[in-house]
């Protein structure tokens, strides 16, 4: 690492280029996590111009999620074995090329394949970026602050992507969405060599057998859940891939227990903070992404908002998340991870399961929409900063790539499985014939999502101390 990037020995200051490196890594995270939302607003236009029905159109989202979730563990292992900077650069490079292909896609098939390629690139760059953050900033308050900045960008990029996608689609058409993603990714790629440290490498196997089992199992799981939205849970196209996924993932765990250099060392779960972070990621993303799925349907279908207006309605979420995540980073060392995670999940549950569950057919933005957004956004910032820090606690620096991959995998699977389950709840509890009946289904889904967050908070609150010694106060 160059002297400009070196951490000062007092552990309290770093060079300006180190903070610039954090900006580059946060930008990489933003294009990874925001790439789902930024396309949402463009989907109707894409469907019309490329003659895609709903069943095919959904794969522009589902295949991105499948490739992203499926290759994350492999991406984390690659970052630890081959080096964080080269794997980060490779992932951003793959994302850039595929985003450019998507922008120029002449057919639906080319677009869908390009989206899968974007997901692969995100899976390679995501774990490496988190590991590089921990390499740049020493453990303690300084790292907590850096993680707060990093996670606030990640947590707010989904809502920001909704707005950006709406603006670009309305002004320039859907291809502009992918063109802007290409430009941002290219800017990140150009800054890699000059700002990011070269990183370290571990001499160990890539565990190709484990990679095949994990990737195949996770892709099958996301594929099956993606089919549930259009075909229902009873359809063989839904449950058959899920059964295959269960078999493959059980095989993966059995293999990891016996191999000398496992892709996912199961000893990582000896850390109580890591177990909490994994559970918190699922409990966090189920209600949050569930709400973000239903919110445009409510705002556009029942309040008469345009796609751009519905995106702008979510803007406060991104702003509040950024502020609350930075506050969390500053108090994390004094308060500890567990109180922030539990408190954040309970605020998310209240905002989604109480305030949003009371939204009426003729609701107003300030009285009915904004309060729920504000409360859940504070919770997101508090919980996301703390669970990201927890995901690396008691994990050796050489395993931070895999630890980051595990956490993001939990987020992706929690979001995809959770949203599919909440859609099922909405269909079962609502009546599609009338707006009030549809809204009843939305409300039931909000309550169900909030219940997941509350349950996660309760389990995390009672988990005994372990892994990190109480004297460290990082729990």
């Amino acid at each position: 690492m160059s002297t400009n990037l070196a951490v000062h020995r007092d552990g309290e200051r770093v060079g300006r280029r180190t903070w610039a490196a954090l900006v580059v890594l946060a930008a990489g995270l933003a294009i990874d996590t925001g790439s789902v939302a930024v396309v949402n607003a463009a989907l109707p236009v894409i469907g019309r111009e490329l003659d895609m029905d709903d069943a095919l159109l959904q794969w522009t989202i589902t295949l991105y999620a499948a490739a992203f979730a499926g290759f994350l563990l492999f991406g984390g292992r690659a970052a630890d074995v081959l080096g964080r900077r080269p794997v980060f650069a490779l992932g951003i490079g793959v994302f850039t090329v595929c985003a450019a292909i998507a922008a120029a896609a002449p057919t639906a098939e080319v677009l869908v394949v390009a989206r899968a390629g974007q997901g692969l690139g995100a899976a390679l760059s995501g774990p490496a970026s988190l590991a590089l953050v921990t390499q740049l900033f020493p453990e303690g308050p300084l790292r907590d602050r850096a993680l707060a900045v990093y996670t606030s960008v990640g947590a707010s990029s989904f809502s920001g992507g909704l707005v950006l996608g709406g603006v670009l689609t309305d002004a320039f058409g859907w291809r502009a969405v992918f063109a802007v993603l290409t430009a941002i990714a290219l800017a990140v790629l150009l800054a890699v060599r000059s700002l990011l440290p070269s990183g370290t490498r571990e001499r160990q196997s890539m565990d190709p057998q484990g990679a095949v089992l994990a990737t195949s199992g996770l892709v099958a799981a996301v594929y099956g859940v993606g089919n549930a939205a259009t075909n229902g849970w009873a359809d063989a196209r839904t449950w058959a891939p899920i059964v295959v996924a269960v078999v493959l993932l059980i095989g993966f765990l059995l293999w990891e227990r016996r191999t000398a250099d496992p892709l996912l060392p199961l000893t990582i779960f000896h850390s109580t903070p890591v177990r909490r972070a994994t559970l918190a990621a699922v409990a966090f993303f189920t209600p949050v992404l569930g709400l973000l799925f239903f919110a445009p349907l409510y705002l556009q279908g029942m309040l008469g908002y345009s796609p751009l207006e519905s995106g702008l309605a979510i803007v406060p979420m991104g702003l509040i998340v950024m502020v609350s995540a930075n506050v969390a980073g500053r108090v994390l060392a004094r308060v500890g991870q567990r109180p922030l995670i539990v408190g954040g999940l309970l605020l998310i549950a209240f905002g989604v399961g109480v305030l949003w569950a009371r939204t009426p057919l003729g609701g107003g933005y300030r009285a009915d929409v904004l309060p729920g957004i504000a409360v859940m956004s504070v919770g997101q910032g508090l919980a996301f900063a703390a669970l990201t820090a927890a995901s690396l606690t008691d994990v050796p620096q050489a395993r931070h790539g895999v630890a980051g991959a595990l956490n993001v995998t939990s987020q992706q699977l929690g979001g995809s499985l959770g949203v599919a389950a909440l859609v099922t709840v909405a269909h079962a509890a609502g009546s599609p014939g009338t707006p009030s009946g549809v809204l009843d289904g939305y409300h039931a889904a909000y309550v169900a999502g909030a219940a997941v967050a509350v349950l996660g908070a309760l389990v995390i609150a009672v988990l005994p101390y372990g892994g990190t010694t109480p004297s460290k106060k990082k729990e």
Side-chain angles (χ1 to χ4, degrees):
M1 189 187 304
S2 71
T3 55
N4 285 331
L5 282 171
V7 177
H8 288 249
R9 292 186 182 274
D10 61 10
E12 296 297 328
R13 296 170 55 215
V14 294
R16 291 181 179 178
R17 291 185 65 181
T18 303
W19 290 107
L22 178 63
V23 172
V24 171
L25 295 171
L29 176 66
I31 62 174
D32 290 348
T33 58
S35 286
V36 176
V38 76
V39 177
N40 277 3
L43 288 179
V45 180
I46 293 174
R48 289 195 301 270
E49 293 193 9
L50 295 184
D51 193 25
M52 301 171 69
D53 59 21
D54 290 345
L56 180 58
L57 192 62
Q58 65 134 346
W59 288 110
T60 62
I61 302 297
T62 304
L63 276 184
Y64 179 88
F68 192 5
F71 286 93
L72 272 166
L73 287 175
F74 176 78
R77 182 54 172 265
D80 288 339
V81 174
L82 303 177
R84 280 77 182 267
R85 187 175 73 181
V87 172
F88 177 79
L90 175 62
I92 295 296
V94 170
F95 186 98
T96 304
V97 170
C98 292
I101 292 173
T107 65
E109 291 74 17
V110 173
L111 176 62
V112 169
V113 171
R115 287 291 287 164
Q118 284 182 281
L120 171 60
L124 294 173
S125 65
S129 69
L130 180 57
L132 283 165
V133 172
T134 64
Q135 182 178 329
L136 286 165
F137 294 89
E139 186 173 4
L142 193 61
R143 179 181 292 178
D144 291 341
R145 288 176 57 194
L147 286 174
V149 173
Y150 179 82
T151 56
S152 68
V153 172
S156 61
S157 62
F158 196 95
S159 56
L162 288 172
V163 179
L164 180 63
V167 171
L168 291 173
T169 302
D170 280 357
F172 306 106
W174 68 268
R175 294 183 187 276
V177 172
F178 294 105
V180 169
L181 285 177
T182 303
I184 296 174
L186 183 59
V188 171
L189 187 61
L190 293 175
V192 165
R193 186 170 183 81
S194 61
L195 290 177
L196 299 186
S198 58
T200 58
R201 300 184 180 188
E202 290 290 315
R203 291 185 176 275
Q204 54 184 307
S205 166
M206 288 289 291
D207 187 15
Q209 297 92 334
V212 170
L213 288 169
T215 298
S216 302
L218 292 172
V219 169
V222 177
Y223 178 83
V225 171
N227 277 329
T230 52
N231 302 318
W233 289 97
D235 192 286
R237 287 169 291 182
T238 298
W239 60 259
I242 293 176
V243 170
V244 171
V246 170
V247 172
L248 289 171
L249 293 176
I250 291 175
F252 168 70
L253 293 176
L254 294 175
W255 171 260
E256 296 301 277
R257 288 175 63 89
R258 57 176 291 186
T259 187
D261 290 317
L263 179 70
L264 176 64
L266 299 183
T267 54
I268 198 172
F269 292 106
H270 291 174
S271 166
T272 299
V274 169
R275 295 199 300 269
R276 288 191 185 129
T278 303
L279 174 60
V282 176
F284 179 110
F285 276 82
T286 294
V288 169
L289 293 190
L291 177 76
L292 290 173
F293 175 83
F294 289 110
L297 302 178
Y298 171 70
L299 295 172
Q300 296 179 38
M302 298 179 183
L303 300 188
Y305 286 30
S306 69
L308 177 57
E309 289 171 336
S310 68
L312 292 174
I314 308 297
V315 167
M317 180 180 291
L319 299 177
I320 296 171
V321 166
M322 292 189 72
V323 173
S324 60
N326 277 281
V327 170
R330 292 180 181 277
V331 303
L332 184 58
R334 297 194 301 271
V335 175
Q337 296 164 358
R338 178 158 59 175
L340 291 176
I341 293 173
V342 171
L345 289 176
L346 292 177
L347 286 173
I348 291 170
F350 185 78
V352 174
V354 176
L355 298 179
W356 265 82
R358 299 168 59 186
T359 49
L361 280 174
Y365 181 73
R366 291 183 181 179
D368 302 302
V369 174
L370 184 58
I373 288 177
V375 171
M376 68 178 291
S377 299
V378 173
Q380 288 178 67
L382 297 180
F384 199 57
L387 73 86
T388 301
S391 70
L392 303 173
T393 301
D394 286 349
V395 179
Q397 175 71 37
R399 295 290 182 269
H400 278 192
V402 168
L406 173 64
N407 187 251
V408 180
T409 300
S410 301
Q411 297 170 21
Q412 291 296 312
L413 292 180
S416 59
L417 292 170
V419 171
L422 295 184
V423 170
T424 302
V425 170
H427 286 178
S431 302
T434 64
S436 61
V438 173
L439 187 58
D440 287 341
Y442 293 173
H443 288 168
Y446 299 153
V447 173
V452 173
V454 171
L455 180 60
L458 291 176
V459 173
I460 291 167
V462 301
L463 275 177
Y465 281 92
T468 300
T469 59
S471 62
K472 290 186 180 180
K473 296 297 181 185
K474 296 297 287 180
E475 300 238 59

